């Protein structure tokens, strides 16, 4: 049992990269949940864009929280930057995967992730580590 105390913990230096990692995990969990609800639930395909915006907002909020908590200062800034980076990454992947262009929904997602990430960063920077 004593050998376990000497094992070093992995630490990601950049608050932005750690926030992107957590936001990606939340996005994967949300996509899985939407897939399950679409397959075995009563959700219709035409409701999918609305729910996907909710998932993107929750993912940016969680990533902004982690970024703000790890930065220890300027949580709104790190959370907002995470929201923009998250949106650009999602848009880049969607463009490369299915040749999706820019539209009003794209701008909506960008603004939503910026605001949710900033809010998550403000909450995260104000939480204290025990």
């Amino acid at each position: 049992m004593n050998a376990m105390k000497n094992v070093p913990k992995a630490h990601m230096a950049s608050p932005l990269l750690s926030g992107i990692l957590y936001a990606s995990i939340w996005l994967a969990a949300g996509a899985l949940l939407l897939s399950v609800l679409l397959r075995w639930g009563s959700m219709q395909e035409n409701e999918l864009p609305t729910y996907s915006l909710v998932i993107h907002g929750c993912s940016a909020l969680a990533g902004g929280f982690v970024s703000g908590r790890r930065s220890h200062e300027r949580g709104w800034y790190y959370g907002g930057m995470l929201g923009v980076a998250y949106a650009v990454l999602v848009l880049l992947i969607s463009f490369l995967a299915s040749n999706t262009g820019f539209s009003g929904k794209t701008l909506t997602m960008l603004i939503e992730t910026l605001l949710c990430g900033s809010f998550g960063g403000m909450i995260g920077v104000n939480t204290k580590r025990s």
Side-chain angles (χ1 to χ4, degrees), residues 8-55:
K9 292 183 180 180
H11 181 71
M12 198 173 297
S14 171
L16 194 61
L17 288 178
S18 60
I20 288 287
L21 176 67
Y22 277 85
S24 300
I25 292 169
W26 276 80
L27 177 62
L32 183 63
L33 176 67
L34 285 181
S35 297
V36 166
L37 288 175
L38 190 60
R39 173 64 176 102
W40 289 293
S42 62
M43 187 168 67
Q44 301 296 317
E45 272 189 54
N46 59 356
E47 299 170 336
L48 203 55
T50 304
Y51 287 118
S52 67
L53 278 177
V54 171
I55 297 297

Side-chain angles (χ1 to χ4, degrees), residues 63-85:
F65 178 84
V66 171
S67 288
R69 187 174 174 126
R70 297 220 177 171
S71 70
H72 301 292
E73 61 184 9
R74 295 187 301 180
W76 64 271
Y77 173 76
Y78 283 102
M81 292 307 295
L82 170 106
V84 170

Side-chain angles (χ1 to χ4, degrees), residues 1-7:
M1 210 54 173
N2 216 1
M4 292 300 288
K5 290 183 180 180
N6 296 331
V7 175

